[in-house]
Amino acid sequence: MGPATSLPRRRRSLAGLWFVVPFLAVFLFVLVVPVLYSLYLSVFQDKLIGGRSFVGLANYSQLFSDPKFWDGLGRVALFLAVQVPVMLGLALVAALAIDSGRLHGAPFFRMSVFLPYAVPGVVAVLMWGFMYGDQFGLAGNINKLVGHELLTPLSPQWILVAIGNIVTWEFVGYNMLIFYSALRSVPSDLYEAAAIDGAGAWRVVFSIKLPALRQAIVIATIFSIIGSFQLFNEPNILRTLIPSVIATYFTPNMYAYNLSFAGQQYAYAATLAIVMGVVTAVIAYVVQLRGSREANR
């Protein structure tokens, strides 16, 4: 290959880089710069007297001994362990029911399940918050009807379940579409071979459909883990109704938000954000690694 042919090819390669520049610019300013700035802030401390001073890893040491941080992290971990399997299980059942071809009005059912995802999160929380009200909402009306406090979703004992119900209602349809799309990509030859072998509906589900859904389940699980660790909107909006039940450190994200915008402790909030980012990335990576191994068996 001579210089005359290699030069145009090199120019074409350089020209291709310009198509990547917009993505790189957004990636740089939206992800890389904020992370680097948060890392920078996390090794400083702002004081009323003396201003900003370098403290090394003191913020991290303080965070790991902060009971409010562990309280919020434990609550989110419990939420993740219970809500995510319930939500993905319901989405899986809905996707299998629609794909079975035996469901009457499948398009209407699919749209009905997906519709809550199209509702803005703030509107969804306000709507459920009104229904949860044991003094003024649907729960209050039922309590009056039966004559005692049967439903108290905004009480400290039930608030995490109430939030989990809102999140499940919002995202079952989203995950259902992921599973349903994966089911539609299963080759029809497999179904024909199963029919020839006399396989029943349940046999098809367990031997063909569920194995085909492994990668989609892994992806949905990773998205759900990330979303659970980012839990913020639902408890933060409900806090306006029940400030004595939902504390400012109810979740790590709420804790970081209030530290930063109410307490003006930017450096400590940046430390918390960095730690939560690492925790989320590690757990998501472990789930992806384990899920990929299971899918490739």
Side-chain angles (χ1 to χ4, degrees), residues 62-74 249 255 268:
Q62 180 184 347
L63 182 68
F64 289 129
S65 59
D66 187 345
K68 293 180 179 178
F69 167 69
W70 290 111
D71 189 44
L73 184 61
Y249 52 89
Y255 192 25
Y268 195 49

Side-chain angles (χ1 to χ4, degrees), residues 55-266:
V55 294
L57 299 177
N59 285 331
Y60 292 92
S61 176
Q62 180 184 347
L63 182 68
F64 289 129
S65 59
D66 187 345
K68 293 180 179 178
F69 167 69
W70 290 111
D71 189 44
L73 184 61
R75 189 174 292 109
V76 167
L78 176 62
F79 180 86
L80 169 66
V82 177
Q83 187 269 335
V84 170
V86 171
M87 177 180 66
L88 295 185
L90 291 174
L92 183 60
V93 170
L96 289 171
I98 294 173
D99 187 67
S100 68
R102 301 183 180 185
L103 188 67
H104 295 289
F108 174 77
F109 180 75
R110 183 171 62 238
M111 182 59 68
S112 301
V113 176
F114 181 74
L115 192 59
Y117 181 69
V119 177
V122 175
V123 176
V125 178
L126 291 175
M127 182 183 71
W128 278 100
F130 179 76
M131 289 193 289
Y132 284 159
D134 52 8
Q135 301 295 327
F136 52 85
L138 179 63
N141 293 333
I142 294 176
N143 290 341
K144 289 178 182 176
L145 186 66
V146 299
H148 67 278
E149 290 190 348
L150 179 66
L151 299 175
T152 56
L154 296 182
S155 63
Q157 296 82 5
W158 293 103
I159 187 59
L160 201 58
V161 177
I163 293 172
N165 177 59
I166 298 174
V167 177
T168 302
W169 181 81
E170 286 178 301
F171 291 98
V172 161
Y174 170 80
N175 290 292
M176 178 202 69
L177 278 190
I178 294 177
F179 297 151
Y180 182 66
S181 301
L183 286 172
R184 302 306 295 171
S185 66
V186 176
S188 59
D189 298 351
L190 292 178
Y191 295 129
E192 295 172 1
I196 293 173
D197 290 342
W202 288 110
R203 183 67 176 173
V204 170
V205 168
F206 286 105
S207 299
I208 296 178
K209 294 186 177 182
L210 289 182
L213 281 173
R214 283 176 179 168
Q215 286 290 358
I217 292 173
V218 171
I219 292 172
T221 304
I222 291 172
F223 287 165
S224 300
I225 289 172
I226 295 172
S228 296
F229 279 116
Q230 293 177 343
L231 187 63
F232 177 79
N233 278 341
E234 290 79 7
N236 196 50
I237 295 172
L238 287 177
R239 178 176 152 72
T240 57
L241 298 175
I242 43 174
S244 61
V245 174
I246 298 179
T248 54
Y249 52 89
F250 190 78
T251 69
N253 265 13
M254 282 183 65
Y255 192 25
Y257 175 84
N258 286 291
L259 282 171
S260 180
F261 293 100
Q264 297 184 348
Q265 300 182 50
Y266 306 114

